[in-house]
Amino acid sequence: KAGVTQTPRYLIKTRGQQVTLSCSPISGHRSVSWYQQTPGQGLQFLFEYFSETQRNKGNFPGRFSGRQFSNSRSEMNVSTLELGDSALYLCASSPGPGGQPQHFGDGTRLSIL
Amino acid sequence: AQSVTQLGSHVSVSEGALVLLRCNYSSSVPPYLFWYVQYPNQGLQLLLKYTSAATLVKGINGFEAEFKKSETSFHLTKPSAHMSDAAEYFCAVSDRSRGATNKLIFGTGTLLAVQP
């Protein structure tokens, strides 16, 4: 069974641009969550989606948005990029909500110049 | 609000020695608890989870953790360290009281070094 796939693996952008990251969950998994990992702030929760509905949102500005499609694939978008958005963005999937173990992808490394 | 504290950002052990990584949680209701491991340039891999079925939880790669409600702890142990265990380890909680959510709150991580 294929794992969680995140594309692209690496991305370089400049301040002010926008970026879209993609996540394909494990087949059959309907819940997708996103996390930001930085050396200073550690791992922080961004969003959680289940059946195309956002169930939970972390404490991030409105520049961060996401969505989930009917095939459970998910995207997150960051607009007006700032230097502080440089991070590893991790996607995780699970069969459903409710404290289930999540399976993580290898992440997208976003660097802002 | 829930929180997780991992004592010791860096832990160094000798190969073959006991590994003990500490995790304490703060929650009014015992949460779901998880340990994840992260190798360089990779995502997180689930080691084990506590969901209240048993207080001693066995995971992959010889790791286990014991849930102690009285101490609000969920420490990770392995009897004998192997060089391949060198990685960063994260303890995480998921709020059981807030209904069906997978949102994880992570500790700050412990970097485990294994000396030959």
Side-chain angles (χ1 to χ4, degrees):
Chain A
K1 201 180 224 184
V4 177
T5 303
Q6 291 189 246
T7 57
R9 284 295 312 275
Y10 302 92
L11 205 49
I12 299 174
K13 292 286 186 179
T14 57
R15 281 181 298 174
Q17 287 187 309
Q18 75 163 16
V19 68
T20 299
L21 311 182
S22 179
C23 172
S24 293
I26 291 173
S27 178
H29 284 193
R30 297 168 61 198
S31 176
V32 173
S33 298
W34 289 87
Y35 296 84
Q36 182 196 63
Q37 185 176 25
T38 61
Q41 300 299 316
L43 282 153
Q44 294 187 287
F45 170 79
L46 279 159
F47 327 97
E48 175 187 3
Y49 289 90
F50 177 69
S51 294
E52 302 178 67
T53 301
Q54 187 179 90
R55 297 180 62 88
N56 227 327
K57 188 178 191 300
N59 188 25
F60 279 83
R63 300 185 296 107
F64 291 80
S65 62
R67 58 179 176 170
Q68 185 180 34
F69 302 96
S70 59
N71 61 358
S72 295
R73 191 178 68 85
S74 177
E75 289 180 348
M76 68 164 282
N77 183 278
V78 188
S79 62
T80 319
L81 287 165
E82 300 176 0
L83 292 177
D85 297 333
S86 294
L88 180 66
Y89 290 89
L90 293 165
C91 171
S93 77
S94 65
Q100 298 192 32
Q102 295 177 67
H103 302 265
F104 283 79
D106 285 337
T108 294
R109 173 78 61 186
L110 176 62
S111 299
I112 311 302
L113 303 179
Chain B
Q2 287 193 320
S3 65
V4 179
T5 301
Q6 289 185 242
L7 288 175
S9 58
H10 291 79
V11 170
S12 182
V13 300
S14 298
E15 192 173 20
L18 171 72
V19 175
L20 170 61
L21 305 181
R22 300 178 186 273
C23 172
N24 288 86
Y25 68 91
S26 172
S27 175
S28 57
V29 175
Y32 297 113
L33 291 155
F34 306 86
W35 274 99
Y36 284 89
V37 61
Q38 185 176 35
Y39 297 97
N41 297 316
Q42 293 186 23
L44 304 174
Q45 181 182 8
L46 178 69
L47 283 175
L48 49 81
K49 61 177 179 176
Y50 167 75
T51 56
S52 79
T55 56
L56 183 63
V57 182
K58 293 188 183 300
I60 63 171
N61 301 339
F63 285 94
E64 63 181 38
E66 185 173 8
F67 172 72
K68 292 187 177 180
K69 184 178 177 180
S70 61
E71 300 177 8
T72 59
S73 69
F74 191 58
H75 302 332
L76 182 71
T77 60
K78 181 173 181 178
S80 176
H82 192 274
M83 296 295 289
S84 61
D85 294 327
E88 190 158 24
Y89 292 78
F90 293 93
C91 181
V93 300
S94 181
D95 192 344
R96 189 194 299 261
S97 67
R98 289 179 62 89
T101 178
N102 284 332
K103 174 184 175 182
L104 291 173
I105 297 171
F106 285 92
T108 51
T110 297
L111 190 61
L112 175 67
V114 181
Q115 308 299 327

PDB file of all heavy atoms in Angstrom, chain B residues 30-64:
ATOM      1  N   PRO B  30      -7.712  12.128  30.486  1.00  0.00           N
ATOM      2  CA  PRO B  30      -6.605  11.393  29.846  1.00  0.00           C
ATOM      3  C   PRO B  30      -6.789  11.368  28.335  1.00  0.00           C
ATOM      4  O   PRO B  30      -7.816  10.902  27.836  1.00  0.00           O
ATOM      5  CB  PRO B  30      -6.720   9.999  30.456  1.00  0.00           C
ATOM      6  CG  PRO B  30      -7.334  10.236  31.786  1.00  0.00           C
ATOM      7  CD  PRO B  30      -8.303  11.364  31.593  1.00  0.00           C
ATOM      8  N   PRO B  31      -5.815  11.895  27.626  1.00  0.00           N
ATOM      9  CA  PRO B  31      -5.960  12.006  26.171  1.00  0.00           C
ATOM     10  C   PRO B  31      -5.497  10.745  25.461  1.00  0.00           C
ATOM     11  O   PRO B  31      -5.017   9.801  26.090  1.00  0.00           O
ATOM     12  CB  PRO B  31      -5.029  13.172  25.847  1.00  0.00           C
ATOM     13  CG  PRO B  31      -3.923  13.003  26.853  1.00  0.00           C
ATOM     14  CD  PRO B  31      -4.575  12.459  28.104  1.00  0.00           C
ATOM     15  N   TYR B  32      -5.627  10.760  24.162  1.00  0.00           N
ATOM     16  CA  TYR B  32      -4.900   9.786  23.358  1.00  0.00           C
ATOM     17  C   TYR B  32      -3.432  10.243  23.358  1.00  0.00           C
ATOM     18  O   TYR B  32      -3.146  11.431  23.252  1.00  0.00           O
ATOM     19  CB  TYR B  32      -5.408   9.775  21.918  1.00  0.00           C
ATOM     20  CG  TYR B  32      -6.849   9.364  21.764  1.00  0.00           C
ATOM     21  CD1 TYR B  32      -7.822  10.266  21.327  1.00  0.00           C
ATOM     22  CD2 TYR B  32      -7.264   8.059  22.034  1.00  0.00           C
ATOM     23  CE1 TYR B  32      -9.149   9.892  21.174  1.00  0.00           C
ATOM     24  CE2 TYR B  32      -8.597   7.680  21.885  1.00  0.00           C
ATOM     25  CZ  TYR B  32      -9.517   8.596  21.455  1.00  0.00           C
ATOM     26  OH  TYR B  32     -10.828   8.232  21.309  1.00  0.00           O
ATOM     27  N   LEU B  33      -2.525   9.290  23.453  1.00  0.00           N
ATOM     28  CA  LEU B  33      -1.100   9.617  23.510  1.00  0.00           C
ATOM     29  C   LEU B  33      -0.340   8.838  22.456  1.00  0.00           C
ATOM     30  O   LEU B  33      -0.646   7.660  22.208  1.00  0.00           O
ATOM     31  CB  LEU B  33      -0.529   9.291  24.897  1.00  0.00           C
ATOM     32  CG  LEU B  33      -1.013  10.192  26.024  1.00  0.00           C
ATOM     33  CD1 LEU B  33      -0.935   9.478  27.365  1.00  0.00           C
ATOM     34  CD2 LEU B  33      -0.188  11.469  26.068  1.00  0.00           C
ATOM     35  N   PHE B  34       0.637   9.475  21.867  1.00  0.00           N
ATOM     36  CA  PHE B  34       1.404   8.862  20.784  1.00  0.00           C
ATOM     37  C   PHE B  34       2.887   9.190  20.946  1.00  0.00           C
ATOM     38  O   PHE B  34       3.253  10.222  21.496  1.00  0.00           O
ATOM     39  CB  PHE B  34       0.955   9.409  19.414  1.00  0.00           C
ATOM     40  CG  PHE B  34      -0.524   9.305  19.146  1.00  0.00           C
ATOM     41  CD1 PHE B  34      -1.398  10.294  19.583  1.00  0.00           C
ATOM     42  CD2 PHE B  34      -1.041   8.224  18.451  1.00  0.00           C
ATOM     43  CE1 PHE B  34      -2.754  10.216  19.341  1.00  0.00           C
ATOM     44  CE2 PHE B  34      -2.404   8.127  18.196  1.00  0.00           C
ATOM     45  CZ  PHE B  34      -3.259   9.124  18.648  1.00  0.00           C
ATOM     46  N   TRP B  35       3.704   8.285  20.437  1.00  0.00           N
ATOM     47  CA  TRP B  35       5.123   8.562  20.232  1.00  0.00           C
ATOM     48  C   TRP B  35       5.424   8.383  18.751  1.00  0.00           C
ATOM     49  O   TRP B  35       5.037   7.387  18.140  1.00  0.00           O
ATOM     50  CB  TRP B  35       6.006   7.611  21.038  1.00  0.00           C
ATOM     51  CG  TRP B  35       6.265   8.054  22.440  1.00  0.00           C
ATOM     52  CD1 TRP B  35       5.638   7.627  23.576  1.00  0.00           C
ATOM     53  CD2 TRP B  35       7.234   9.009  22.879  1.00  0.00           C
ATOM     54  NE1 TRP B  35       6.155   8.246  24.676  1.00  0.00           N
ATOM     55  CE2 TRP B  35       7.151   9.098  24.280  1.00  0.00           C
ATOM     56  CE3 TRP B  35       8.203   9.791  22.231  1.00  0.00           C
ATOM     57  CZ2 TRP B  35       7.963   9.932  25.035  1.00  0.00           C
ATOM     58  CZ3 TRP B  35       9.012  10.623  22.977  1.00  0.00           C
ATOM     59  CH2 TRP B  35       8.885  10.690  24.373  1.00  0.00           C
ATOM     60  N   TYR B  36       6.119   9.381  18.204  1.00  0.00           N
ATOM     61  CA  TYR B  36       6.562   9.341  16.814  1.00  0.00           C
ATOM     62  C   TYR B  36       8.080   9.487  16.767  1.00  0.00           C
ATOM     63  O   TYR B  36       8.684  10.101  17.645  1.00  0.00           O
ATOM     64  CB  TYR B  36       5.939  10.484  16.014  1.00  0.00           C
ATOM     65  CG  TYR B  36       4.492  10.298  15.653  1.00  0.00           C
ATOM     66  CD1 TYR B  36       3.471  10.719  16.508  1.00  0.00           C
ATOM     67  CD2 TYR B  36       4.127   9.707  14.440  1.00  0.00           C
ATOM     68  CE1 TYR B  36       2.145  10.547  16.173  1.00  0.00           C
ATOM     69  CE2 TYR B  36       2.788   9.542  14.090  1.00  0.00           C
ATOM     70  CZ  TYR B  36       1.811   9.968  14.954  1.00  0.00           C
ATOM     71  OH  TYR B  36       0.487   9.796  14.613  1.00  0.00           O
ATOM     72  N   VAL B  37       8.679   8.952  15.698  1.00  0.00           N
ATOM     73  CA  VAL B  37      10.105   9.113  15.470  1.00  0.00           C
ATOM     74  C   VAL B  37      10.314   9.776  14.109  1.00  0.00           C
ATOM     75  O   VAL B  37       9.550   9.525  13.171  1.00  0.00           O
ATOM     76  CB  VAL B  37      10.850   7.757  15.538  1.00  0.00           C
ATOM     77  CG1 VAL B  37      10.355   6.776  14.477  1.00  0.00           C
ATOM     78  CG2 VAL B  37      12.359   7.953  15.395  1.00  0.00           C
ATOM     79  N   GLN B  38      11.322  10.632  14.048  1.00  0.00           N
ATOM     80  CA  GLN B  38      11.633  11.312  12.785  1.00  0.00           C
ATOM     81  C   GLN B  38      13.113  11.162  12.480  1.00  0.00           C
ATOM     82  O   GLN B  38      13.966  11.585  13.266  1.00  0.00           O
ATOM     83  CB  GLN B  38      11.254  12.787  12.864  1.00  0.00           C
ATOM     84  CG  GLN B  38      11.426  13.529  11.543  1.00  0.00           C
ATOM     85  CD  GLN B  38      10.956  14.976  11.614  1.00  0.00           C
ATOM     86  OE1 GLN B  38      11.091  15.638  12.636  1.00  0.00           O
ATOM     87  NE2 GLN B  38      10.374  15.473  10.523  1.00  0.00           N
ATOM     88  N   TYR B  39      13.400  10.573  11.331  1.00  0.00           N
ATOM     89  CA  TYR B  39      14.768  10.477  10.840  1.00  0.00           C
ATOM     90  C   TYR B  39      15.037  11.678   9.931  1.00  0.00           C
ATOM     91  O   TYR B  39      14.093  12.263   9.376  1.00  0.00           O
ATOM     92  CB  TYR B  39      14.974   9.160  10.108  1.00  0.00           C
ATOM     93  CG  TYR B  39      14.802   7.952  11.005  1.00  0.00           C
ATOM     94  CD1 TYR B  39      13.589   7.259  11.049  1.00  0.00           C
ATOM     95  CD2 TYR B  39      15.839   7.518  11.833  1.00  0.00           C
ATOM     96  CE1 TYR B  39      13.417   6.165  11.883  1.00  0.00           C
ATOM     97  CE2 TYR B  39      15.673   6.429  12.673  1.00  0.00           C
ATOM     98  CZ  TYR B  39      14.459   5.771  12.692  1.00  0.00           C
ATOM     99  OH  TYR B  39      14.273   4.696  13.528  1.00  0.00           O
ATOM    100  N   PRO B  40      16.293  12.041   9.755  1.00  0.00           N
ATOM    101  CA  PRO B  40      16.621  13.228   8.940  1.00  0.00           C
ATOM    102  C   PRO B  40      15.965  13.188   7.568  1.00  0.00           C
ATOM    103  O   PRO B  40      15.952  12.154   6.905  1.00  0.00           O
ATOM    104  CB  PRO B  40      18.140  13.171   8.850  1.00  0.00           C
ATOM    105  CG  PRO B  40      18.558  12.463  10.093  1.00  0.00           C
ATOM    106  CD  PRO B  40      17.490  11.430  10.339  1.00  0.00           C
ATOM    107  N   ASN B  41      15.413  14.319   7.178  1.00  0.00           N
ATOM    108  CA  ASN B  41      14.790  14.494   5.859  1.00  0.00           C
ATOM    109  C   ASN B  41      13.622  13.548   5.612  1.00  0.00           C
ATOM    110  O   ASN B  41      13.331  13.209   4.461  1.00  0.00           O
ATOM    111  CB  ASN B  41      15.832  14.319   4.749  1.00  0.00           C
ATOM    112  CG  ASN B  41      16.912  15.368   4.832  1.00  0.00           C
ATOM    113  OD1 ASN B  41      16.634  16.544   5.035  1.00  0.00           O
ATOM    114  ND2 ASN B  41      18.156  14.935   4.706  1.00  0.00           N
ATOM    115  N   GLN B  42      12.974  13.150   6.682  1.00  0.00           N
ATOM    116  CA  GLN B  42      11.805  12.291   6.543  1.00  0.00           C
ATOM    117  C   GLN B  42      10.648  12.826   7.377  1.00  0.00           C
ATOM    118  O   GLN B  42      10.814  13.727   8.195  1.00  0.00           O
ATOM    119  CB  GLN B  42      12.126  10.858   6.978  1.00  0.00           C
ATOM    120  CG  GLN B  42      13.110  10.141   6.072  1.00  0.00           C
ATOM    121  CD  GLN B  42      13.274   8.684   6.456  1.00  0.00           C
ATOM    122  OE1 GLN B  42      12.398   8.090   7.092  1.00  0.00           O
ATOM    123  NE2 GLN B  42      14.396   8.102   6.079  1.00  0.00           N
ATOM    124  N   GLY B  43       9.484  12.259   7.152  1.00  0.00           N
ATOM    125  CA  GLY B  43       8.327  12.600   7.969  1.00  0.00           C
ATOM    126  C   GLY B  43       8.353  11.845   9.284  1.00  0.00           C
ATOM    127  O   GLY B  43       9.368  11.280   9.673  1.00  0.00           O
ATOM    128  N   LEU B  44       7.231  11.833   9.960  1.00  0.00           N
ATOM    129  CA  LEU B  44       7.122  11.178  11.261  1.00  0.00           C
ATOM    130  C   LEU B  44       6.601   9.751  11.094  1.00  0.00           C
ATOM    131  O   LEU B  44       5.686   9.516  10.312  1.00  0.00           O
ATOM    132  CB  LEU B  44       6.170  11.960  12.166  1.00  0.00           C
ATOM    133  CG  LEU B  44       6.513  13.426  12.398  1.00  0.00           C
ATOM    134  CD1 LEU B  44       5.420  14.110  13.185  1.00  0.00           C
ATOM    135  CD2 LEU B  44       7.837  13.550  13.109  1.00  0.00           C
ATOM    136  N   GLN B  45       7.197   8.855  11.868  1.00  0.00           N
ATOM    137  CA  GLN B  45       6.750   7.458  11.850  1.00  0.00           C
ATOM    138  C   GLN B  45       6.183   7.113  13.216  1.00  0.00           C
ATOM    139  O   GLN B  45       6.809   7.367  14.241  1.00  0.00           O
ATOM    140  CB  GLN B  45       7.921   6.532  11.510  1.00  0.00           C
ATOM    141  CG  GLN B  45       7.539   5.068  11.453  1.00  0.00           C
ATOM    142  CD  GLN B  45       8.731   4.166  11.166  1.00  0.00           C
ATOM    143  OE1 GLN B  45       9.877   4.600  11.140  1.00  0.00           O
ATOM    144  NE2 GLN B  45       8.460   2.891  10.942  1.00  0.00           N
ATOM    145  N   LEU B  46       4.990   6.530  13.227  1.00  0.00           N
ATOM    146  CA  LEU B  46       4.355   6.176  14.483  1.00  0.00           C
ATOM    147  C   LEU B  46       5.078   5.007  15.146  1.00  0.00           C
ATOM    148  O   LEU B  46       5.274   3.965  14.536  1.00  0.00           O
ATOM    149  CB  LEU B  46       2.891   5.796  14.243  1.00  0.00           C
ATOM    150  CG  LEU B  46       2.092   5.358  15.467  1.00  0.00           C
ATOM    151  CD1 LEU B  46       1.871   6.544  16.410  1.00  0.00           C
ATOM    152  CD2 LEU B  46       0.742   4.764  15.048  1.00  0.00           C
ATOM    153  N   LEU B  47       5.481   5.208  16.404  1.00  0.00           N
ATOM    154  CA  LEU B  47       6.093   4.133  17.184  1.00  0.00           C
ATOM    155  C   LEU B  47       5.036   3.355  17.960  1.00  0.00           C
ATOM    156  O   LEU B  47       5.049   2.123  17.981  1.00  0.00           O
ATOM    157  CB  LEU B  47       7.102   4.698  18.183  1.00  0.00           C
ATOM    158  CG  LEU B  47       8.462   5.130  17.663  1.00  0.00           C
ATOM    159  CD1 LEU B  47       9.254   5.778  18.790  1.00  0.00           C
ATOM    160  CD2 LEU B  47       9.222   3.950  17.085  1.00  0.00           C
ATOM    161  N   LEU B  48       4.165   4.076  18.640  1.00  0.00           N
ATOM    162  CA  LEU B  48       3.118   3.441  19.428  1.00  0.00           C
ATOM    163  C   LEU B  48       2.065   4.465  19.823  1.00  0.00           C
ATOM    164  O   LEU B  48       2.273   5.667  19.683  1.00  0.00           O
ATOM    165  CB  LEU B  48       3.696   2.769  20.680  1.00  0.00           C
ATOM    166  CG  LEU B  48       4.656   3.573  21.560  1.00  0.00           C
ATOM    167  CD1 LEU B  48       3.923   4.492  22.491  1.00  0.00           C
ATOM    168  CD2 LEU B  48       5.564   2.636  22.367  1.00  0.00           C
ATOM    169  N   LYS B  49       0.928   3.938  20.330  1.00  0.00           N
ATOM    170  CA  LYS B  49      -0.173   4.800  20.719  1.00  0.00           C
ATOM    171  C   LYS B  49      -0.834   4.250  21.982  1.00  0.00           C
ATOM    172  O   LYS B  49      -0.859   3.037  22.211  1.00  0.00           O
ATOM    173  CB  LYS B  49      -1.223   4.864  19.609  1.00  0.00           C
ATOM    174  CG  LYS B  49      -1.822   3.493  19.289  1.00  0.00           C
ATOM    175  CD  LYS B  49      -2.912   3.559  18.243  1.00  0.00           C
ATOM    176  CE  LYS B  49      -3.438   2.141  17.970  1.00  0.00           C
ATOM    177  NZ  LYS B  49      -4.567   2.110  17.044  1.00  0.00           N
ATOM    178  N   TYR B  50      -1.356   5.140  22.788  1.00  0.00           N
ATOM    179  CA  TYR B  50      -2.143   4.759  23.955  1.00  0.00           C
ATOM    180  C   TYR B  50      -3.567   5.231  23.744  1.00  0.00           C
ATOM    181  O   TYR B  50      -3.805   6.423  23.504  1.00  0.00           O
ATOM    182  CB  TYR B  50      -1.581   5.388  25.235  1.00  0.00           C
ATOM    183  CG  TYR B  50      -2.541   5.273  26.396  1.00  0.00           C
ATOM    184  CD1 TYR B  50      -2.714   4.058  27.053  1.00  0.00           C
ATOM    185  CD2 TYR B  50      -3.307   6.368  26.811  1.00  0.00           C
ATOM    186  CE1 TYR B  50      -3.596   3.938  28.100  1.00  0.00           C
ATOM    187  CE2 TYR B  50      -4.200   6.247  27.853  1.00  0.00           C
ATOM    188  CZ  TYR B  50      -4.351   5.038  28.488  1.00  0.00           C
ATOM    189  OH  TYR B  50      -5.246   4.914  29.524  1.00  0.00           O
ATOM    190  N   THR B  51      -4.506   4.277  23.856  1.00  0.00           N
ATOM    191  CA  THR B  51      -5.906   4.665  23.684  1.00  0.00           C
ATOM    192  C   THR B  51      -6.771   4.144  24.820  1.00  0.00           C
ATOM    193  O   THR B  51      -7.976   4.098  24.699  1.00  0.00           O
ATOM    194  CB  THR B  51      -6.451   4.147  22.342  1.00  0.00           C
ATOM    195  OG1 THR B  51      -6.256   2.724  22.282  1.00  0.00           O
ATOM    196  CG2 THR B  51      -5.732   4.789  21.182  1.00  0.00           C
ATOM    197  N   SER B  52      -6.166   3.729  25.913  1.00  0.00           N
ATOM    198  CA  SER B  52      -6.813   3.304  27.171  1.00  0.00           C
ATOM    199  C   SER B  52      -7.079   1.818  27.282  1.00  0.00           C
ATOM    200  O   SER B  52      -7.584   1.368  28.284  1.00  0.00           O
ATOM    201  CB  SER B  52      -8.112   4.077  27.434  1.00  0.00           C
ATOM    202  OG  SER B  52      -9.175   3.561  26.651  1.00  0.00           O
ATOM    203  N   ALA B  53      -6.741   1.043  26.263  1.00  0.00           N
ATOM    204  CA  ALA B  53      -6.962  -0.400  26.352  1.00  0.00           C
ATOM    205  C   ALA B  53      -6.002  -1.047  27.341  1.00  0.00           C
ATOM    206  O   ALA B  53      -6.372  -1.975  28.059  1.00  0.00           O
ATOM    207  CB  ALA B  53      -6.814  -1.040  24.977  1.00  0.00           C
ATOM    208  N   ALA B  54      -4.771  -0.571  27.409  1.00  0.00           N
ATOM    209  CA  ALA B  54      -3.774  -1.137  28.321  1.00  0.00           C
ATOM    210  C   ALA B  54      -2.789  -0.036  28.665  1.00  0.00           C
ATOM    211  O   ALA B  54      -2.459   0.800  27.821  1.00  0.00           O
ATOM    212  CB  ALA B  54      -3.042  -2.307  27.673  1.00  0.00           C
ATOM    213  N   THR B  55      -2.294  -0.047  29.901  1.00  0.00           N
ATOM    214  CA  THR B  55      -1.389   1.023  30.310  1.00  0.00           C
ATOM    215  C   THR B  55       0.024   0.828  29.781  1.00  0.00           C
ATOM    216  O   THR B  55       0.763   1.787  29.621  1.00  0.00           O
ATOM    217  CB  THR B  55      -1.344   1.145  31.842  1.00  0.00           C
ATOM    218  OG1 THR B  55      -0.963  -0.124  32.388  1.00  0.00           O
ATOM    219  CG2 THR B  55      -2.704   1.550  32.388  1.00  0.00           C
ATOM    220  N   LEU B  56       0.419  -0.427  29.527  1.00  0.00           N
ATOM    221  CA  LEU B  56       1.731  -0.693  28.941  1.00  0.00           C
ATOM    222  C   LEU B  56       1.521  -0.971  27.464  1.00  0.00           C
ATOM    223  O   LEU B  56       0.848  -1.927  27.095  1.00  0.00           O
ATOM    224  CB  LEU B  56       2.404  -1.871  29.637  1.00  0.00           C
ATOM    225  CG  LEU B  56       3.821  -2.205  29.146  1.00  0.00           C
ATOM    226  CD1 LEU B  56       4.762  -1.032  29.412  1.00  0.00           C
ATOM    227  CD2 LEU B  56       4.333  -3.467  29.822  1.00  0.00           C
ATOM    228  N   VAL B  57       2.102  -0.124  26.659  1.00  0.00           N
ATOM    229  CA  VAL B  57       1.888  -0.209  25.220  1.00  0.00           C
ATOM    230  C   VAL B  57       3.183  -0.621  24.540  1.00  0.00           C
ATOM    231  O   VAL B  57       4.231  -0.011  24.771  1.00  0.00           O
ATOM    232  CB  VAL B  57       1.423   1.151  24.652  1.00  0.00           C
ATOM    233  CG1 VAL B  57       1.153   1.037  23.166  1.00  0.00           C
ATOM    234  CG2 VAL B  57       0.191   1.654  25.388  1.00  0.00           C
ATOM    235  N   LYS B  58       3.102  -1.623  23.727  1.00  0.00           N
ATOM    236  CA  LYS B  58       4.278  -2.063  22.969  1.00  0.00           C
ATOM    237  C   LYS B  58       4.186  -1.524  21.559  1.00  0.00           C
ATOM    238  O   LYS B  58       3.109  -1.533  20.935  1.00  0.00           O
ATOM    239  CB  LYS B  58       4.354  -3.589  22.970  1.00  0.00           C
ATOM    240  CG  LYS B  58       4.637  -4.166  24.353  1.00  0.00           C
ATOM    241  CD  LYS B  58       4.901  -5.659  24.296  1.00  0.00           C
ATOM    242  CE  LYS B  58       5.119  -6.221  25.696  1.00  0.00           C
ATOM    243  NZ  LYS B  58       6.268  -5.596  26.381  1.00  0.00           N
ATOM    244  N   GLY B  59       5.327  -1.058  21.065  1.00  0.00           N
ATOM    245  CA  GLY B  59       5.351  -0.491  19.733  1.00  0.00           C
ATOM    246  C   GLY B  59       6.322  -1.216  18.823  1.00  0.00           C
ATOM    247  O   GLY B  59       6.738  -2.334  19.099  1.00  0.00           O
ATOM    248  N   ILE B  60       6.697  -0.529  17.774  1.00  0.00           N
ATOM    249  CA  ILE B  60       7.616  -1.131  16.815  1.00  0.00           C
ATOM    250  C   ILE B  60       9.056  -0.956  17.275  1.00  0.00           C
ATOM    251  O   ILE B  60       9.346  -0.133  18.157  1.00  0.00           O
ATOM    252  CB  ILE B  60       7.425  -0.514  15.415  1.00  0.00           C
ATOM    253  CG1 ILE B  60       7.754   0.979  15.436  1.00  0.00           C
ATOM    254  CG2 ILE B  60       6.012  -0.743  14.915  1.00  0.00           C
ATOM    255  CD1 ILE B  60       7.799   1.614  14.061  1.00  0.00           C
ATOM    256  N   ASN B  61       9.943  -1.731  16.672  1.00  0.00           N
ATOM    257  CA  ASN B  61      11.391  -1.622  16.911  1.00  0.00           C
ATOM    258  C   ASN B  61      11.782  -1.810  18.369  1.00  0.00           C
ATOM    259  O   ASN B  61      12.820  -1.289  18.804  1.00  0.00           O
ATOM    260  CB  ASN B  61      11.916  -0.266  16.421  1.00  0.00           C
ATOM    261  CG  ASN B  61      11.663  -0.040  14.935  1.00  0.00           C
ATOM    262  OD1 ASN B  61      11.465  -0.994  14.188  1.00  0.00           O
ATOM    263  ND2 ASN B  61      11.641   1.204  14.519  1.00  0.00           N
ATOM    264  N   GLY B  62      10.995  -2.551  19.143  1.00  0.00           N
ATOM    265  CA  GLY B  62      11.342  -2.853  20.526  1.00  0.00           C
ATOM    266  C   GLY B  62      11.013  -1.772  21.534  1.00  0.00           C
ATOM    267  O   GLY B  62      11.353  -1.888  22.710  1.00  0.00           O
ATOM    268  N   PHE B  63      10.360  -0.717  21.111  1.00  0.00           N
ATOM    269  CA  PHE B  63       9.986   0.357  22.027  1.00  0.00           C
ATOM    270  C   PHE B  63       8.685   0.036  22.753  1.00  0.00           C
ATOM    271  O   PHE B  63       7.821  -0.659  22.217  1.00  0.00           O
ATOM    272  CB  PHE B  63       9.821   1.685  21.271  1.00  0.00           C
ATOM    273  CG  PHE B  63      11.122   2.318  20.881  1.00  0.00           C
ATOM    274  CD1 PHE B  63      11.670   2.093  19.631  1.00  0.00           C
ATOM    275  CD2 PHE B  63      11.794   3.140  21.774  1.00  0.00           C
ATOM    276  CE1 PHE B  63      12.886   2.674  19.271  1.00  0.00           C
ATOM    277  CE2 PHE B  63      12.996   3.735  21.428  1.00  0.00           C
ATOM    278  CZ  PHE B  63      13.542   3.497  20.176  1.00  0.00           C
ATOM    279  N   GLU B  64       8.562   0.560  23.957  1.00  0.00           N
ATOM    280  CA  GLU B  64       7.313   0.476  24.693  1.00  0.00           C
ATOM    281  C   GLU B  64       7.162   1.708  25.569  1.00  0.00           C
ATOM    282  O   GLU B  64       8.136   2.439  25.824  1.00  0.00           O
ATOM    283  CB  GLU B  64       7.219  -0.796  25.534  1.00  0.00           C
ATOM    284  CG  GLU B  64       8.262  -0.931  26.622  1.00  0.00           C
ATOM    285  CD  GLU B  64       8.084  -2.259  27.374  1.00  0.00           C
ATOM    286  OE1 GLU B  64       7.752  -3.291  26.746  1.00  0.00           O
ATOM    287  OE2 GLU B  64       8.286  -2.244  28.602  1.00  0.00           O
TER     288      GLU B  64
END
